[in-house]
């Protein structure tokens, strides 16, 4: 039976009762197989698994989908039960922000204004603020984040390092449908035609990765990815090649290829690791 708490006081009591190591998985609910992979990873590494379910208003812009974001708590709790989760913290907005939206928020630095931050101003201020609050409240030894949100993972790692937060951040590989589409809670917004168009994101990443495997340079890798992004129903936001820390793309070695696009009214992101051959 999963212990479900909704207040800080309940969480503090329940957290104090967890002896041994604790792994946390932070979610906004609408759990899917990708989240289950995070839960399994936490189960393997920690004595206890704690899940947070909170749709954070700070990371939604004025024209984004906060009100229609799927909220499926009963189904989420069933997934947590099957995965062997010990404790779920599912607070209300008022519980997390009892005095309204906080006036003090974390500054993500220059990276927070690039890529997702460029398209969604203030997004990472909201993400890092709630992540730090939840790390303070849950006091985990390990925290598990999916690599699909690679910029988020990178910034959380920087935050934990720079602010001396005593939690190990663990990245978990992206989970995909058999046809390559990265799992996302927002996929449920897609019509059948949009679902097909959304495959252009992973197709672009596969084409870029294949070019890198052939020994192509960074420019050719990006060109191959752009050619493979071919869906009239999808509008590209960005397609970039960076190093593994999301700094300007390397000439050779480990790299990251990242993409974001609008498919209908839904914005999707994806990324993949690649390795660029050294220059001859």
């Amino acid at each position: 039976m999963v212990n479900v708490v909704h207040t800080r006081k309940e969480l503090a009591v329940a957290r104090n009762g967890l002896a041994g190591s604790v792994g946390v998985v932070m979610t906004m609910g609408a759990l899917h197989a990708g989240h289950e992979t995070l839960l399994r990873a936490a189960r393997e590494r920690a004595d206890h698994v704690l899940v947070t379910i909170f749709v954070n208003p700070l990371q939604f812009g004025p024209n984004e989908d906060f009100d229609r974001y799927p909220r499926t708590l009963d189904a989420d709790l069933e997934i947590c039960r099957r995965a062997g989760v010990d404790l779920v913290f599912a607070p209300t907005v008022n519980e997390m922000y009892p005095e309204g939206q906080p006036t003090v928020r974390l500054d993500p630095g220059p990276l927070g204004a690039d890529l997702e931050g460029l398209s969604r101003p203030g997004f990472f201020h909201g993400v890092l603020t709630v992540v730090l609050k939840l790390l303070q409240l849950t006091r985990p030894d390990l925290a598990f984040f999916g690599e699909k949100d690679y910029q988020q993972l990178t910034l959380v790692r920087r935050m934990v390092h720079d602010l001396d937060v005593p939690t190990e951040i663990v990245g978990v590989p992206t989970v995909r449908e058999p046809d390559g589409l990265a799992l996302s809670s927002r996929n449920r917004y897609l019509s059948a035609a949009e679902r097909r168009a959304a495959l252009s994101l992973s197709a672009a990443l596969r084409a870029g990765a294949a070019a890198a495997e052939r020994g192509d340079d960074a420019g050719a890798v990006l060109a191959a990815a752009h050619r493979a992004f071919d869906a009239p129903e999808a509008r590209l936001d960005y397609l970039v090649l960076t190093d593994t820390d999301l700094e300007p793309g390397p000439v050779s070695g480990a790299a990251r290829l990242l993409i974001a696009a609008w498919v209908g009214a839904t914005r999707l992101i994806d990324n993949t690791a690649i390795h660029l051959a050294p220059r001859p």
Side-chain angles (χ1 to χ4, degrees), residues 28-220:
M28 294 206 301
L31 303 188
H32 50 64
H35 294 105
E36 292 188 75
T37 299
L38 294 173
L39 300 180
R40 286 195 297 271
R43 182 82 276 166
E44 291 171 0
R45 293 278 312 269
D47 297 318
H48 300 284
V49 179
L50 193 165
V51 172
T52 67
I53 298 176
F54 178 64
V55 183
N56 177 35
L58 300 191
Q59 64 197 70
F60 288 81
N63 298 315
E64 294 185 334
D65 57 349
F66 176 74
D67 289 331
R68 73 180 186 120
Y69 193 88
R71 292 161 171 82
T72 57
L73 183 59
D74 289 342
D76 295 342
L77 294 178
E78 177 58 23
I79 289 173
C80 289
R81 185 194 64 77
R82 292 201 308 264
V85 170
D86 299 281
L87 177 61
V88 171
F89 178 46
T92 64
V93 172
N94 287 337
E95 184 66 24
M96 285 297 292
Y97 306 118
E99 298 176 359
Q101 294 200 358
T103 56
V104 175
R105 305 187 190 192
L106 258 71
D107 184 345
L111 178 57
D114 197 10
L115 301 175
E116 289 301 287
L118 187 63
S119 297
R120 306 175 70 185
F123 173 69
F124 286 114
H125 293 75
V127 169
L128 294 186
T129 298
V130 78
V131 167
L132 184 58
K133 283 172 69 72
L134 289 171
L135 288 174
Q136 300 275 34
L137 291 169
T138 60
R139 310 189 316 276
D141 300 282
L142 307 106
F144 297 79
F145 292 86
E147 290 185 355
K148 185 182 78 69
D149 298 297
Y150 191 79
Q151 189 176 6
Q152 170 181 277
L153 171 62
T154 301
L155 284 168
V156 169
R157 280 179 168 152
R158 289 189 184 182
M159 176 190 73
V160 164
H161 175 269
D162 290 352
L163 301 184
D164 296 314
V165 180
T167 301
E168 178 185 349
I169 304 302
V170 182
V172 179
T174 301
V175 178
R176 299 182 181 278
E177 298 281 5
D179 59 9
L181 182 67
L183 292 184
S184 169
S185 299
R186 288 186 167 92
N187 289 350
R188 67 187 65 198
Y189 298 156
L190 302 172
S191 67
E194 290 169 345
R195 171 70 172 66
R196 291 189 293 272
L199 295 176
S200 282
L201 279 80
S202 56
L205 297 179
R206 286 196 303 273
E213 290 174 4
R214 292 193 300 267
D216 290 355
D217 63 15

Side-chain angles (χ1 to χ4, degrees), residues 211-274:
E213 290 174 4
R214 292 193 300 267
D216 290 355
D217 63 15
V221 166
L222 272 175
H226 275 282
R227 287 194 300 271
F229 184 82
D230 183 22
E233 302 88 347
R235 176 168 54 87
L236 187 65
D237 187 348
Y238 62 75
L239 176 56
V240 299
L241 182 62
T242 73
D243 73 7
T244 55
D245 293 322
L246 298 181
E247 299 298 335
V251 172
S252 63
R256 207 82 191 184
L257 187 60
L258 303 101
I259 188 170
W262 289 93
V263 182
T266 303
R267 190 171 179 279
L268 301 175
I269 62 174
D270 202 350
N271 71 88
T272 192
I274 66 170

